[in-house]
Amino acid sequence: MKRRNFLRGAALGTSAAAFGGTLMRGAAYAAPAQPGPGPYGALGSADANGIQLPSGFSSRVIARSGQKVAGTSYTWHNAPDGGACFADGSGWIYVSNSEINPGGGVGAVRFGSSGAITGAHRVLSGTRQNCAGGRTPWNTWLSCEEVSLGYVWETDPWGVNAAIRRDAMGRFKHEAAAADPVRHAIYLTEDEPDGCFYRFVPTNWGTLSTGTLQVLQAGTATSGSFSWVTVPDPDGSPTVTRDQVSGAKRFNGGEGCHYANDTVWFTTKGDNRLWQLDLTNNTYELAYDDSLVTGGNAPLTGVDNVTGSSSGDLFIAEDGGNMEICLITPDDVVAPFLRITGQSGSEITGPAFSPDGSRLYFSSQRGTTGSSSGGITYEVAGPFRS
């Protein structure tokens, strides 16, 4: 799949014109009313869990912070954040970070083939503000510490093998990670207002104990070519990683990161942007910028975690905004997929699909209480397109 840049005039909602105003490169549009629905149709009324969904979809609560996961002795962690799913025989496991400091860590819920919860367990403990991360092709979960000089921890979703701190992946305010099995690299975002975008190239693919940390070097424009330059001191001392390479491109608050088909996408929360790297041609460009959608009708604001479905759709969770998960299709339609009501003091985190693509997991980090102890983790099931 090669996603084109809809800021050049491709579709938004039902079409680019549906949002009106002037977009990038001078493409002018008339200004009708509100955004149209996406490929799943309009959102319905809020269900019993306070979630608005398209027709045919349903939600259930999987876990609540401070409470035992149903049928288990495991107490779900506070401030659930980034997550991912892993196949487990005929079932699967959903792992979820805990963005608290100190404490942090990772918890997991286990599901059987029918989707019933069969267990829950701890994966990582005693770390700091574990925010997002990423899964590896060898079925481990990279949990990232969103603190100054934070680490990446490689963890076992089954909780059998001890987690390992991966110092070679650099010390900085880590956010998300995305593995590229073609180039044998892992891309990393940095949650700083003047942060950078990195890749880690292991000495041996499948082992993260040693390797080279590199930073993306490019101009100040919103599109162009880029190159990778080695970071001299990945430990970030005495000079922080983002200040070690001249010409390293700055990004305003790196957040979610997703790789698929020779392309990597990542979000920046400080300017509500989605960026796209073409890894075949070593070029980058904006894929979405809500400030360029005039008339107050931008469908996606507060960009944060991002994941993808088998259909090629991107699902982007909002930190604030309208408390929505929005999708961007390969045809560049941008529209809400779901909305959580009554939780304006929270953010949506950890979107991830079950291995068969029929269920989407995510959390409201602070739930209805607005505090880290009020987190709620959900599942949405329905006719996701393949």
Side-chain angles (χ1 to χ4, degrees), residues 25-51:
R25 307 194 182 210
Y29 301 97
Q34 295 296 318
Y40 294 106
L43 302 183
S45 301
D47 64 12
N49 297 317
I51 299 180

Side-chain angles (χ1 to χ4, degrees), residues 201-360:
V201 183
T203 304
N204 297 297
W205 186 236
T207 302
L208 303 179
S209 55
T210 62
T212 303
L213 182 69
Q214 300 177 318
V215 66
L216 186 142
Q217 186 181 64
T220 59
T222 54
S223 65
S225 60
F226 68 84
S227 58
W228 298 104
V229 181
T230 297
V231 175
D233 297 308
D235 63 359
S237 177
T239 304
V240 295
T241 54
R242 64 186 181 278
D243 291 341
Q244 291 182 23
V245 173
S246 177
K249 186 165 180 61
R250 304 294 176 162
F251 295 97
N252 192 349
E255 288 286 337
C257 190
H258 176 69
Y259 168 88
N261 302 319
D262 297 321
T263 304
V264 62
W265 293 271
F266 64 96
T267 59
T268 50
K269 67 182 181 185
D271 47 18
N272 278 317
R273 287 174 165 178
L274 173 70
W275 297 84
Q276 172 182 327
L277 301 187
D278 180 335
L279 300 169
T280 301
N281 297 309
N282 286 339
T283 58
Y284 71 94
E285 62 181 324
L286 275 177
Y288 178 81
D289 183 343
D290 77 337
S291 70
L292 298 175
V293 182
T294 60
N297 291 331
L300 170 63
T301 59
V303 298
D304 204 298
N305 293 170
V306 57
T307 193
S309 69
S310 59
S311 65
D313 296 333
L314 294 180
F315 285 73
I316 302 176
E318 290 186 338
D319 179 352
N322 294 327
M323 282 294 288
E324 293 174 344
I325 293 180
C326 290
L327 61 80
I328 303 179
T329 74
D331 296 325
D332 297 311
V333 172
V334 184
F337 170 72
L338 65 80
R339 180 182 300 123
I340 301 177
T341 62
Q343 299 185 32
S344 59
S346 186
E347 62 184 275
I348 300 179
T349 59
F353 281 93
S354 60
D356 67 358
S358 68
R359 302 164 192 258
L360 175 66

Side-chain angles (χ1 to χ4, degrees), residues 60-64 67-72 74-77 84-86 88 91-96 106-112 115-123 157-158 361 363 377-379:
R60 67 167 170 159
V61 173
I62 297 302
R64 294 180 183 270
Q67 298 183 21
K68 304 289 186 185
V69 177
T72 78
Y74 180 75
T75 300
W76 197 237
H77 48 271
C85 284
F86 297 82
D88 179 37
W92 59 91
I93 293 172
Y94 176 68
V95 298
S96 169
V106 182
V109 180
R110 207 164 187 163
F111 301 88
I117 295 173
T118 60
H121 55 271
R122 195 69 171 174
V123 170
W158 287 262
Y361 295 92
S363 296
T377 299
Y378 300 95
E379 173 196 87

Side-chain angles (χ1 to χ4, degrees), residues 185-210:
I186 294 175
Y187 305 101
L188 302 160
T189 55
E190 181 177 26
D191 192 357
E192 297 278 8
D194 60 345
C196 293
F197 188 79
Y198 304 87
R199 76 171 182 180
F200 178 69
V201 183
T203 304
N204 297 297
W205 186 236
T207 302
L208 303 179
S209 55
T210 62

